[in-house]
Amino acid sequence: MNPEILLSRIRVVLCRPSHPGNIGAAARAMKTMGLSDLRLVSPKQFPDPEADVRATGAVDVLQRAKITGDLAQALQGCVLTVALSARARDLGPAPATPRTAVERLVAAAGEGDVALVFGNETSGLSNEELGLCQLAVSIPTNPDFSSLNLGAAVQVLCYECRMAAHAGAAPLLEQHATPFSAPPATHDELEGLYRHLEQVMTATGFFNPAQPGRLLQKVRRLFGRIALERDEVNILRGILSATQSPTRHGRRD
Ligand code: SAH
């Protein structure tokens, strides 16, 4: 299925968010990854100018956000629901990593709407809210400091959604700038470089033609690996020429 359609079916549900700035940050995190369905369960303060400021270009996501009085309403119609919690709980839903949970979530999005559920900034998700979800996900963190900012947690999960929707190969932003391109060195230019190297290595005593060993093959292997450009061959030959005739830089054989 088209990745953008899959992403459009993923709801991000924020339970009882206290800070409007975090709602804005979540909207921005969603839009950068192609998600757009934001649900707010009893937000303390919304709409709010601070939310708009933090959303920057994602105010449209805020404007379309649906507000509900409880989590059950926000999850209506969802075929898979995933709770985000820094702490594992006894008798909570089956624990999963963000990647494995999101892979299941995106697969389920092929069948219908799905949800990622985040908790309040101070208290997290209540046991009751957690109990309404089918999977619980903890983002792996420093064990001594495991609580991410709400907007940051939304960003991590939305990124995983984008990667999963594109089967692990989400395309990068198209380059509008003309990429720098230099002509590659030709076979004869490379051979000229190898001959020049051999001359200098012989003249300096580094290479002894009577006992060649495998030095020349190794030099070819080294330069063969890096797809030299014409300019680069010219620079290397310029350096070699300068060592041959230090006062007359740039002289070629
Ligand atoms: N003090 C709260 C953390 C609140 S952070 C607690 O201990 O639960 C706000 C929300 O961000 C959390 O409810 C959770 O949904 C999400 N979050 C933050 N850090 C997370 C982590 N390491 N793993 C999963 N979710 C996390």
Side-chain angles (χ1 to χ4, degrees):
M1 189 179 275
N2 178 320
E4 302 312 320
I5 294 179
L6 292 173
L7 293 170
S8 74
R9 292 183 179 178
I10 303 173
R11 298 179 194 175
V12 169
V13 184
L14 305 184
C15 291
R16 300 170 286 107
S18 313
H19 302 294
N22 283 335
I23 302 175
R28 181 175 184 174
M30 290 169 64
K31 190 168 174 180
T32 53
M33 296 297 138
L35 285 77
S36 51
D37 190 350
L38 176 62
R39 311 275 171 139
L40 304 172
V41 179
S42 305
K44 190 169 172 202
Q45 220 173 305
F46 187 81
D48 187 275
E50 183 60 18
D52 291 356
V53 167
R54 292 285 300 280
T56 52
V59 174
D60 55 321
V61 174
L62 292 181
Q63 282 164 349
R64 278 182 281 132
K66 296 192 181 74
I67 301 177
T68 59
D70 62 31
L71 176 58
Q73 267 176 291
L75 298 181
Q76 258 174 25
C78 284
V79 295
L80 188 65
T81 54
V82 175
L84 273 290
S85 168
R87 297 167 286 139
R89 318 270 176 95
D90 286 347
L91 279 178
T97 64
R99 198 153 296 169
T100 54
V102 164
E103 274 164 11
R104 282 184 60 181
L105 195 81
V106 168
E111 310 293 323
D113 279 8
V114 295
L116 289 169
V117 180
F118 297 82
N120 167 270
E121 293 90 333
T122 316
S123 54
L125 287 169
S126 70
N127 285 336
E128 196 197 344
E129 287 165 336
L130 208 66
L132 292 178
C133 299
Q134 286 153 291
L135 290 174
V137 167
S138 289
I139 300 166
T141 53
N142 173 356
D144 300 326
F145 194 62
S146 65
S147 179
L148 278 79
N149 163 267
L150 177 55
V154 172
Q155 185 76 74
V156 170
L157 270 289
C158 290
Y159 170 74
E160 289 292 345
C161 288
R162 184 162 194 81
M163 291 301 281
H166 286 271
L172 293 174
L173 194 63
E174 256 179 51
Q175 288 282 350
H176 293 297
T178 314
F180 174 77
S181 88
T186 59
H187 168 78
D188 28 309
E189 286 163 346
L190 282 179
E191 290 302 318
L193 170 66
Y194 296 143
R195 273 196 306 277
H196 202 164
L197 268 169
E198 189 178 338
Q199 278 171 16
V200 172
M201 291 193 301
T202 308
T204 55
F206 185 76
F207 174 65
N208 176 2
Q211 283 183 317
R214 297 203 293 163
L215 180 62
L216 297 182
Q217 289 97 309
K218 288 196 166 176
V219 167
R220 281 173 178 269
R221 198 171 130 89
L222 164 66
F223 287 112
R225 222 171 23 230
I226 54 176
L228 283 170
E229 293 165 359
R230 175 174 299 155
D231 278 1
E232 294 166 339
V233 167
N234 287 338
I235 291 169
L236 290 171
R237 295 200 58 179
I239 294 168
L240 293 172
S241 296
T243 66
Q244 287 172 310
S245 173
T247 51
R248 293 170 63 193
H249 290 269
R251 212 193 77 167
R252 300 276 153 78
D253 63 329

